[in-house]
Amino acid sequence: MMLDEDQALIKKTLRGDRRAFEELMRKYEKKIYSFVVRMVRNEDTAVDLTQDFFFKIFTVLDKYNFEYKFSTWAYRICYNLVIDHIRKNQAAVDSLDDESVTSRDLLESGNVSREDGFKALALSETRDYVWRVVDQIPLKFRELILLRYIQDLKYEEIAEITALPVGTVKNRIFKAKEILKQEMEKDGMLI
Amino acid sequence: MACLSDATLIAYNEGGLGAIAAAQARDHLLLCPDCRRAAATFRALDLILAKPVLYEPPPRLVPQVTERLFPAAARVTSIAAAIAASFVFLVSWIYIYFDFSSSSLVQALRLTANGTSGWLADVIRGITAIYNGAQAVAKALGALLRIVLPAPLGTIVALLALSSLLAVTLFRPWLRKARAKRS
């Protein structure tokens, strides 16, 4: 069986190669950490959860099935870990997911710099603005946007990870984009 | 024809519409500037989302995990130091409670060395040199121990402490790894 880069690293890790697991962590740490930060919206918690994720991965690595893609398997573990954490801390998440918190609130709070609208902003500023709006949309939409764009997953993979039907995943992502567009229109970010 | 819904525009951009629906959408977009603008907005949004703003994880994140999962093996120097300390104290203890002043074994070895030549003589000289060195250290420490630990109980406590130190030095990496796995 042909092994991809991740699987070769897993094989080495299972033989006790510390560097191989370190390489695997380095490869995924930024995406995993970014995903977790945007899910829980707290950097300290995100550090703990990302570390917990790597511990978890290490302890169940011998159960990994080499017929499947490592990233999908790992993201599912990460997703479950984060969702468990969020469920245990439901009150905090609910208050943060208040739909009345709009990107306008963010702009007024000074978290996003805005000049004369969408087209007047530099690309990096536009990116920052859009991703800050993403951070404010309700969790059920946000999680799918994060899996789709941060983890770069296909609809089918997201459906597998979240245990949702593919149609629901698509509809929610479409809805999330509609919300983003509406927010941008409200903020006058679109010309 | 009515304007296209946002969902249709997004699906059109992603190439997710069937052939007929896609053709209808394309025809409508040719005629409708509002829908063209909306489609362009979703395309721009897609491009922006496809380049996410990633957070930089703190530099300590991976090293901390690695350290807990793969604690470094006890350093050779610390193991050697612990063994040497235990050896010296053991010899000191034996020196206090047993009379080796005659050193008959060493005398016998010396005589053997005098009567032989070649590598065997060198080995015996090496052994007697090590013994003499250890004996000198033991003599000094023995004198010290006589002052500090006059009772056999004190010596036993000292030996137990040294054994524990040696065991902890040797097995610390495995203990830490087991603890990391448990947590």
Side-chain angles (χ1 to χ4, degrees):
Chain A
M1 185 173 68
M2 280 290 287
L3 299 179
D4 63 26
E5 189 191 340
D6 289 349
Q7 291 172 331
L9 289 171
I10 294 166
K11 282 266 182 205
K12 285 184 186 172
T13 305
L14 290 173
R15 287 198 295 264
D17 187 337
R18 161 199 171 130
R19 283 179 195 282
F21 191 65
E22 222 168 52
E23 204 178 321
L24 203 61
M25 286 196 287
R26 292 267 179 229
K27 186 174 170 188
Y28 284 96
E29 66 166 337
K30 203 166 177 178
K31 280 188 170 186
I32 292 289
Y33 178 70
S34 300
F35 173 75
V36 179
V37 168
R38 290 191 183 283
M39 285 290 278
V40 299
R41 297 191 282 212
N42 179 304
E43 293 191 15
D44 290 335
T45 310
V47 170
D48 291 344
L49 282 171
T50 307
Q51 290 190 331
D52 287 349
F53 161 73
F54 285 128
F55 286 129
K56 176 87 179 164
I57 282 283
F58 183 78
T59 49
V60 297
L61 206 54
D62 52 351
K63 294 187 181 75
Y64 166 67
N65 184 342
F66 282 82
E67 285 173 17
Y68 299 101
K69 234 169 103 178
F70 168 73
S71 56
T72 314
W73 179 76
Y75 289 143
R76 190 191 305 143
I77 291 174
C78 178
Y79 175 80
N80 289 336
L81 198 73
V82 174
I83 289 296
D84 280 352
H85 171 85
I86 289 174
R87 278 186 192 139
K88 282 180 198 155
N89 299 275
Q90 194 63 47
V93 173
D94 283 347
S95 70
L96 285 170
D97 270 341
D98 184 348
E99 291 191 38
S100 65
V101 178
T102 65
S103 50
R104 185 177 294 281
D105 297 327
L106 264 181
L107 288 169
E108 283 165 4
S109 73
N111 288 334
V112 176
S113 62
R114 179 182 145 201
E115 302 296 328
D116 303 317
F118 192 78
K119 288 190 176 172
L121 294 175
L123 179 63
S124 63
E125 286 173 316
T126 310
R127 250 182 7 137
D128 285 349
Y129 164 77
V130 169
W131 278 97
R132 280 181 195 278
V133 180
V134 169
D135 287 343
Q136 298 305 311
I137 65 177
L139 183 67
K140 70 174 181 176
F141 300 118
R142 189 169 75 241
E143 64 180 18
L144 301 182
I145 287 284
L146 299 180
L147 287 168
R148 173 92 169 124
Y149 291 101
I150 289 191
Q151 313 294 22
D152 203 16
L153 298 172
K154 298 187 182 93
Y155 290 128
E156 291 75 16
E157 291 172 318
I158 297 171
E160 198 187 320
I161 288 169
T162 55
L164 289 170
V166 178
T168 307
V169 170
K170 272 190 189 179
N171 286 338
R172 283 193 190 170
I173 289 179
F174 287 7
K175 180 70 187 164
K177 287 182 185 177
E178 285 176 42
I179 294 171
L180 289 175
K181 183 169 164 273
Q182 283 162 15
E183 289 300 318
M184 287 158 74
E185 278 168 350
K186 264 196 257 172
D187 290 334
M189 301 299 275
L190 299 174
I191 293 173
Chain B
M1 184 184 172
C3 278
L4 303 172
S5 68
D6 283 345
T8 307
L9 288 171
I10 295 167
Y12 175 77
N13 281 345
E14 292 188 1
L17 291 179
I20 295 171
Q24 285 173 341
R26 196 166 42 244
D27 289 347
H28 179 82
L29 285 169
L30 282 171
L31 301 170
C32 180
D34 287 344
C35 285
R36 269 205 306 277
R37 195 178 306 118
T41 301
F42 282 122
R43 270 199 303 277
L45 193 58
D46 257 338
L47 286 174
I48 290 168
L49 289 172
K51 291 193 175 107
V53 179
L54 296 179
Y55 285 85
E56 200 59 52
R60 67 177 198 282
L61 194 146
V62 166
Q64 279 179 349
V65 176
T66 312
E67 199 184 311
R68 283 181 63 190
L69 289 176
F70 304 92
R75 284 190 306 179
V76 174
T77 48
S78 56
I79 294 172
I83 291 173
S86 305
F87 176 75
V88 166
F89 273 83
L90 191 65
V91 171
S92 307
W93 182 74
I94 291 167
Y95 199 83
I96 292 169
Y97 295 101
F98 297 93
D99 181 16
F100 276 112
S101 54
S102 63
S103 302
S104 54
L105 178 65
V106 176
Q107 293 301 330
L109 282 172
R110 277 182 191 140
L111 287 173
T112 313
N114 289 338
T116 54
S117 60
W119 66 269
L120 184 61
D122 291 338
V123 169
I124 293 170
R125 275 191 211 101
I127 292 169
T128 50
I130 290 169
Y131 179 85
N132 289 338
Q135 198 182 36
V137 175
K139 202 170 181 176
L141 280 167
L144 191 66
L145 280 176
R146 265 184 222 277
I147 302 165
V148 181
L149 301 167
L153 181 66
T155 309
I156 290 167
V157 169
L159 284 172
L160 280 175
L162 278 165
S163 312
S164 309
L165 171 75
L166 187 62
V168 167
T169 310
L170 286 171
F171 296 110
R172 189 171 48 193
W174 289 276
L175 290 171
R176 288 172 71 182
K177 190 172 179 177
R179 202 166 51 230
K181 275 202 163 190
R182 260 205 316 277
S183 69

